[in-house]
C-alpha cells in the first residue's frame, strides 16, 4: 500500500504553483474557494511518467536520477512509472525486472513501478503474475496500439478479467506522441477507445485510467467512459483554460495529474493548474487525492 | 516580460470578439502574459473568400480596439485573392492599428503571388507570420512546409519572417530554417515535447526563437512549459518569452507611434 507522503518537499498551495516556473510578479494565484490558501500541503502524484530512453530522440531526463530530481524539485511526491522499453521489446519479463529494480534503487521512494504487459506475446499471463507476486506492482500499463490488439478483442477482456481478479489498476496509453510528427516507419495509430465501455460493462470492478487520451478523445465519449468509472490525466489536455473547462462536465474525481515526462516538459502539466481557476477542492483532487484513491484500492 | 506571438479568438468563451479577447486576457493574466498578438476571426476558414476575410479582420479589429494596451493585431490575408489582400493590408495595417500579417493555409507560400504582399508588408515594417507544418501524413492542400517557407524567405533576404509552428515536426523544421538569419522560429501550437526549445536555441540561437501559444486551441500552460522547462540559460529564456518579439516589432510600433 502506498501512502500519500507529505514529505518535506510538500508545498503550500502558493509555493506549489510558483515552482512550476519563475513566473512574473504580476502573476496572481487565484482560487474560487474562500478556503485558506495555506490550509495544508498540496502534493503531486504524477500518474503518467516513463523510465528509459525514447527510441527516436535523446531525452534530457532519460537518466532516472535526473528525472527523480526534477520531479522532486517540482513538488511531486509520487510518480507512477512505466517503461519505454515496453513499447518495442519482446522480453517483457526483463523489462519489468529492470523497471522494478530501477524504481527501488534510484527512485528514492518517489517512483511506483507500473508493470508492462503485452498480451500478444506467448506466456503473457506469467508476466502479469510476476508483476503482482514478484514485483508487488499495483498496476499494469498497456500499449494496445504498439502491441497490435484492439479494445474489442477477446484478449483484452481476458486482461481485464485478470486485472479484476488481482485488483490491479489498469493504465492504457492511448498514444505516445502526435500522429503528425511520428516517425514514418513506426506509424502507430491511436488506440481506439470506442469498444472500452462494452468491455468495462463486463468487468465493473476494474479500475482503469486512460493516459494521453485527450488528443484523440473529446466531448461525449469522455463523459461516457467516465460514467463507466474510467479516470483520465491531463498531459495531453489542451485548450486555453482547459482543466476548468473540462471539469465543468467531467466529474471531479475522474481527473488526475499526469505530465508524460520525460517525453513532455513536466512544467506543461503543472502550469495547467495555474491557468485554470480551480477551487481548493478541485486542486487537491486533481493534484493527488484522485490518484491516491485510485491506487489505494490496489 | 512575456509577449505571446500567437493567439486566436477561436476556442475562447465569448459571444463577441470583445468578450473573447477579455476572457483570453483574464486567463493570460494568471500566466503573467502582458501582450497578446491575435489574428483570424471567431470562425475560421482555410481558404476565405474576400467577404469572409474582411469579416475575420473586422473581428480582430473589434477585439484589439477594446484592449489596445494588451493586444496587437495581425491582418489575415489570402494570396488567392491578391488584390483584396493588398487592400486589407492597407486598411488594417497602413491605415489601421494592426502591426503584422498572418498567412495560413490557402496557398503554398512559395507561390509568386505572395511577393507583392511581402513587399508591401516590408514597406510597412509589418511582422510577417507564415504557418508551416511538416506532417507525416498529408498537409492540407495549400498548407506550406518549412521548405516552401524557405523558398519565400530566400526571395526576400532582407525581410524578417516568422516560421509558424517551426513546422510542427520541429526537429525537421529547425533544420530547414537554420541557415536563414532573417527567419525566426515560433514555438507555438505543438505538443510540449521536451528538447524542442533546447534544439532551437542550439541550432538557431536564442535570439531567433519566439514564444507563442496558439491559444485558444492550445493552452498557454503547455506552450509556456516549453520555455520554462527547457534547460537553457536565463538570458535565453528572457529573449524567447518576450524580448525577441519586442525587438522584431519595434520598427512598426515606432512608425505607428505605439508606446509600450
Amino acid at each position: 500500500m502506498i501512502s500519500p507522503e507529505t514529505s518535506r518537499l510538500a508545498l503550500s498551495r502558493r509555493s506549489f504553483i510558483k515552482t512550476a516556473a519563475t513566473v512574473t510578479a504580476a502573476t496572481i494565484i487565484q482560487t474560487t474557494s474562500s478556503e485558506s490558501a495555506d490550509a495544508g500541503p498540496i502534493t503531486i502524484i504524477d500518474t503518467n511518467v516513463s523510465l528509459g530512453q525514447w527510441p527516436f530522440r535523446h531525452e534530457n531526463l532519460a537518466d532516472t536520477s535526473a528525472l527523480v530530481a526534477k520531479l522532486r524539485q517540482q513538488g511531486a511526491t509520487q510518480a507512477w512509472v512505466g517503461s519505454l522499453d515496453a513499447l518495442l521489446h519482446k522480453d517483457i519479463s526483463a523489462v519489468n525486472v529492470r523497471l522494478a529494480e530501477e524504481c527501488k534503487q534510484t527512485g528514492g521512494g518517489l517512483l511506483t513501478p507500473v508493470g508492462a504487459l503485452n498480451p500478444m506475446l506467448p506466456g503473457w499471463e506469467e508476466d502479469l503474475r510476476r508483476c503482482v507476486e514478484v514485483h508487488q506492482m499495483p498496476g499494469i500499463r498497456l500499449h494496445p496500439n504498439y502491441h497490435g490488439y484492439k479494445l474489442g478483442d477477446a484478449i483484452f477482456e481476458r486482461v481485464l478479467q485478470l486485472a479484476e481478479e488481482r485488483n490491479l489498476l489498469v493504465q492504457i496509453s492511448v498514444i505516445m506522441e502526435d500522429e503528425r510528427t511520428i516517425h514514418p516507419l513506426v506509424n502507430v495509430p491511436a488506440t481506439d477507445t470506442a469498444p472500452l465501455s462494452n468491455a468495462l460493462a463486463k468487468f465493473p470492478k476494474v479500475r482503469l485510467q486512460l493516459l494521453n487520451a485527450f488528443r484523440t478523445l473529446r466531448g461525449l465519449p469522455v463523459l461516457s467512459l467516465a460514467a463507466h468509472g474510467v479516470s483520465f490525466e491531463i498531459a495531453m489536455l489542451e485548450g486555453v483554460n482547459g482543466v476548468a473547462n473540462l471539469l465543468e462536465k467531467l466529474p471531479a474525481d475522474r481527473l488526475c495529474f499526469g505530465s508524460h515526462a520525460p517525453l513532455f516538459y513536466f512544467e506543461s502539466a503543472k502550469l495547467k493548474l495555474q491557468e485554470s481557476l480551480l477551487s481548493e477542492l478541485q486542486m487537491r483532487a486533481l493534484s493527488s487525492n484522485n490518484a491516491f484513491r485510485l491506487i489505494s484500492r490496489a | 516580460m512575456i509577449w505571446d506571438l500567437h493567439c486566436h479568438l477561436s476556442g475562447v468563451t465569448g459571444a463577441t470578439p470583445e468578450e473573447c479577447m477579455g476572457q483570453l486576457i483574464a486567463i493570460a493574466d494568471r500566466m503573467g502574459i502582458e501582450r497578446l498578438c491575435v489574428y483570424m476571426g471567431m470562425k475560421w476558414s482555410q481558404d476565405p473568400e474576400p467577404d469572409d476575410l474582411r469579416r475575420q479582420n473586422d473581428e480582430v479589429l473589434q477585439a484589439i480596439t477594446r484592449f489596445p494596451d494588451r493586444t496587437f493585431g495581425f491582418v489575415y490575408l489570402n494570396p488567392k485573392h491578391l488584390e483584396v489582400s493588398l487592400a486589407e493590408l492597407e486598411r488594417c495595417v497602413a491605415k489601421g492599428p494592426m502591426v503584422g500579417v498572418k498567412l495560413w493555409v490557402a496557398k503554398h507560400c512559395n507561390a509568386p503571388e505572395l511577393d507583392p504582399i511581402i513587399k508591401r508588408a516590408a514597406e510597412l515594417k509589418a511582422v510577417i507570420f507564415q504557418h508551416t507544418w511538416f506532417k507525416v501524413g498529408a498537409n492540407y492542400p495549400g498548407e506550406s512546409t518549412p521548405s516552401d517557407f524557405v523558398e519565400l524567405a530566400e526571395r526576400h533576404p532582407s525581410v524578417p519572417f516568422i516560421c509558424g509552428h517551426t513546422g510542427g515536426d520541429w526537429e525537421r523544421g529547425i533544420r530547414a530554417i537554420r541557415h536563414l538569419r532573417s527567419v525566426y522560429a515560433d514555438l507555438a501550437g505543438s505538443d510540449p515535447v521536451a528538447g524542442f526549445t533546447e534544439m532551437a536555441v542550439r541550432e538557431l540561437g536564442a535570439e531567433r526563437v519566439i514564444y507563442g501559444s496558439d491559444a485558444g486551441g492550445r493552452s498557454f500552460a503547455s506552450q509556456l512549459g516549453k520555455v520554462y522547462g527547457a534547460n537553457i540559460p536565463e538570458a535565453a529564456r528572457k529573449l524567447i518569452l518576450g524580448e525577441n518579439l519586442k525587438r522584431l516589432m519595434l520598427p512598426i510600433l515606432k512608425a505607428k507611434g505605439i508606446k509600450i
Side-chain angles (χ1 to χ4, degrees), chain B residues 129-152:
Chain B
F129 181 103
Q130 170 66 58
H131 165 103
T132 67
W133 261 87
F134 269 136
K135 289 176 180 165
V136 170
N139 277 24
Y140 298 128
E143 188 174 29
S144 302
T145 66
S147 301
D148 299 328
F149 172 85
V150 164
E151 287 184 39
L152 175 68

Side-chain angles (χ1 to χ4, degrees), chain B residues 5-6 39 129 162-167 177 184-189 196 208-213:
Chain B
L5 165 68
H6 192 153
Y39 25 94
F129 181 103
I162 298 171
C163 182
H165 307 288
T166 317
I177 65 172
Y184 293 75
D186 163 40
L187 293 181
F196 183 175
R208 287 175 58 194
V209 184
I210 298 177
Y211 157 74
S213 63

Side-chain angles (χ1 to χ4, degrees), chain A residues 39-89:
Chain A
I42 295 178
T43 58
I44 290 177
I45 297 178
D46 189 341
T47 64
N48 183 10
V49 175
S50 299
L51 293 190
Q53 185 61 59
W54 180 239
F56 309 105
R57 183 182 307 113
H58 172 76
E59 303 291 349
N60 285 338
L61 298 179
D63 175 75
T64 305
S65 300
L67 177 64
V68 168
K70 177 71 168 188
L71 292 168
R72 283 200 195 285
Q73 182 233 337
Q74 290 293 325
T77 55
Q78 189 182 122
W80 304 353
V81 293
S83 170
L84 292 174
D85 288 348
L87 299 177
L88 300 172
H89 286 217

Side-chain angles (χ1 to χ4, degrees), chain A residues 141-163:
Chain A
R141 187 173 294 181
L142 306 177
H143 297 277
N145 51 348
Y146 280 83
H147 294 161
Y149 62 96
K150 299 186 184 308
L151 302 188
D153 291 350
I155 196 76
F156 177 64
E157 289 193 7
R158 176 66 178 151
V159 172
L160 290 184
Q161 181 188 359
L162 291 178

